Amino acid sequence: MKARVHIMLKDGVLDPQGEAVRHALGTLGFAGVEGVRQGKVIELDLTATDKAAAEAEVRAMCEKLLANTVIEKYSVEIA
């Protein structure tokens, strides 16, 4: 089973890397970009066979290690 975790900064948290990308895009002539938020994707290969149990386990991983839940939000996809 595979899991994909999308992690983004919460709304209102300053994103200097996203702002640097927005500025660079403007420099390259892409003037229509008003904002950029940078995130990360983590893919996990799991041995679990139960989808609900796998999702619960991945959410626990996010809470304990993968995401800084003070400033980041995350979503989990199980396939």
Side-chain angles (χ1 to χ4, degrees):
M1 194 167 279
K2 291 197 178 275
R4 182 173 286 151
V5 180
H6 297 266
I7 302 171
M8 297 289 294
L9 288 171
K10 290 181 178 178
D11 295 337
V13 176
L14 182 63
D15 186 353
Q17 191 172 7
E19 182 57 25
V21 170
R22 186 203 60 78
H23 177 60
L25 288 170
T27 302
L28 292 171
F30 300 102
V33 180
E34 292 183 353
V36 175
R37 301 291 284 177
Q38 180 86 12
K40 56 189 168 188
V41 175
I42 300 172
E43 291 186 351
L44 304 163
D45 291 323
L46 306 172
T47 59
T49 56
D50 179 71
K51 188 174 182 175
E55 184 172 346
E57 185 175 36
V58 172
R59 288 188 179 281
M61 292 176 193
C62 290
E63 293 290 327
K64 292 181 179 181
L65 176 69
L66 301 178
N68 178 349
T69 57
V70 173
I71 61 169
E72 295 175 320
K73 57 186 177 183
Y74 64 88
S75 63
V76 176
E77 297 174 21
I78 303 290

